[in-house]
Amino acid sequence: MDVSATNAGQPLVSVIIPIYNAEKTLERCLSSIESQTHRALEIICVNDGSTDESAQIMRAHAARDARIVLVDKTNEGYGASCNRGIAIARGAWVAIVEPDDTVEPNGFEVLLACAEKYGGTSGVDVVKGAYWRIFPGEGDEADRVSCPYRGRVRPRRQPFSVGDGAELLRHHPAIWSALYRRAYLAEQGIRFVEVPGAGWVDNPFLVETLCRTDRIAYTDECVYDYVERDLREAESFAGRAPLTPLVRWNEMMDAAERAGVRDRRVIAALALRGVNYALITVEGAGLDEPGVRELVTSSLERLDAKMVLSDRSISPAGKRLFASVRGLREPRGAKIAYATHLAGEALYRIRTNGLAFALKTARSRERRIG
């Protein structure tokens, strides 16, 4: 019997939720999935050794909804939890949902409709959507703004290879604003890196899934609500685990090389991320932290100097760091080029999310001009 589709002919979506001590947000997350307009769901809750009330919340929901599958295991980290879920998934499509986020009421329906438009499982391996960024405020108020690639992913045709939608690689990995054809993940042997904690393992998974196919579909409709913790969260994390961002970035580059990536648009997007991660690591820990200087140097040596130093979206601080570790002269006009880039970004944010949010974002980035 084909369990990837229901009796009504709807494709089954296996929704994987890696859960670790999420009692404050899990109720809301599960409710958003259970109430989806697309009903053919397999909801796989993977409890990664939680020590709070997460397991009890999972069981209470499972008692009310037969679509929920419970997995209890010792704590191994986000990547291992996602891999466990993928291994037991039965659906035609796989989704990842983080337990402190929610899915728009018709999120899966929108993604599936986009996939079906371009051939469904016969024509699409990955279908991506835009998402909302939720900034918690005072009381029940929250800022809700669209993600930084909405309106910017404009492939010449669909389905497409990621070079025609390279914006998907330039921002937050957002691996949860997508559906993945389960057979594609199995055919390509795509798995998450398994390390303790979260460990930024969404980064290499992004490259593995998007760079191994020319069958990506995209919808500009927002399908997911991502709760932002802190605009400076990356820097804070780097202070605690300074080598992790660049270790994960090197795994992204390794994945791109294994996939035979030659498209300069893809390589440029990865270069931007690599320089930014190097900056985050240095600013969070300093070059004198054990292992940092060596890792920064070996990482930046993987990049084409001309590409990096001519890219106006890479900050002067990033170019200065790159030139320093590569023994090169810092390019002239970097501040002017970057200021022009920031002006364009500000106009985009004003147009999509309003002046107030654009100003807030600009203030968080202004230190990078120097």
Side-chain angles (χ1 to χ4, degrees), residues 251-267:
E251 291 166 351
M252 296 175 82
M253 292 293 286
D254 294 344
E257 290 177 3
R258 287 194 300 270
V261 171
R262 296 291 182 269
D263 192 317
R264 288 184 67 81
R265 297 169 298 180
V266 174
I267 296 170

Side-chain angles (χ1 to χ4, degrees), residues 92-202:
W93 299 95
V94 169
I96 309 292
V97 175
E98 296 189 352
D100 38 7
D101 300 331
T102 57
V103 184
E104 284 289 291
N106 64 342
F108 296 139
E109 181 181 359
V110 168
L111 289 171
L112 286 167
C114 179
E116 287 302 316
K117 182 177 180 180
Y118 301 109
T121 54
S122 298
V124 175
D125 292 325
V126 180
V127 53
K128 287 282 291 185
Y131 64 93
W132 295 112
R133 301 170 69 193
I134 310 298
F135 293 87
E138 297 293 332
D140 294 329
E141 293 190 9
D143 290 328
R144 175 177 155 111
V145 300
S146 60
C147 67
Y149 59 71
R150 191 182 188 198
R152 289 172 153 175
V153 180
R154 297 171 179 165
R156 294 168 292 178
R157 63 182 66 87
Q158 297 211 52
F160 60 95
S161 58
V162 72
D164 284 338
E167 283 291 330
L168 295 171
L169 296 172
R170 294 172 65 87
H171 306 283
H172 191 293
I175 61 169
W176 20 254
S177 64
L179 294 178
Y180 307 93
R181 187 170 66 86
R182 180 169 63 88
Y184 164 66
L185 299 180
E187 290 159 5
Q188 295 293 325
I190 296 174
R191 291 171 52 85
F192 282 85
V193 175
E194 297 190 6
V195 295
W200 291 34
V201 296
D202 51 351

Side-chain angles (χ1 to χ4, degrees), residues 243-303:
L243 303 185
T244 295
L246 277 178
V247 169
R248 293 290 91 78
W249 177 79
N250 276 281
E251 291 166 351
M252 296 175 82
M253 292 293 286
D254 294 344
E257 290 177 3
R258 287 194 300 270
V261 171
R262 296 291 182 269
D263 192 317
R264 288 184 67 81
R265 297 169 298 180
V266 174
I267 296 170
L270 293 174
L272 170 65
R273 188 177 292 274
V275 173
N276 284 343
Y277 282 11
L279 271 178
I280 288 170
T281 295
V282 172
E283 291 168 0
L287 277 172
D288 294 330
E289 183 77 12
V292 170
R293 185 181 298 274
E294 294 80 5
L295 181 59
V296 169
T297 300
S298 64
S299 298
L300 296 185
E301 284 177 345
R302 300 185 73 164
L303 299 176

Side-chain angles (χ1 to χ4, degrees), residues 22-82:
E23 63 179 6
K24 294 181 180 179
T25 58
L26 185 56
E27 182 79 37
R28 184 177 70 248
C29 173
L30 287 173
S31 295
S32 79
I33 298 169
E34 292 163 347
S35 61
Q36 285 291 300
T37 54
H38 181 82
R39 303 296 298 167
L41 303 177
E42 175 186 46
I43 306 169
I44 303 175
C45 296
V46 183
N47 178 28
D48 190 31
S50 296
T51 57
D52 64 358
E53 299 296 312
S54 295
Q56 289 86 331
I57 295 171
M58 289 165 42
R59 295 188 185 101
H61 277 261
R64 301 190 297 267
D65 194 325
R67 298 174 298 174
I68 294 179
V69 178
L70 301 181
V71 177
D72 280 302
K73 66 181 187 65
T74 57
N75 182 260
E76 298 170 293
Y78 181 102
S81 295
C82 290

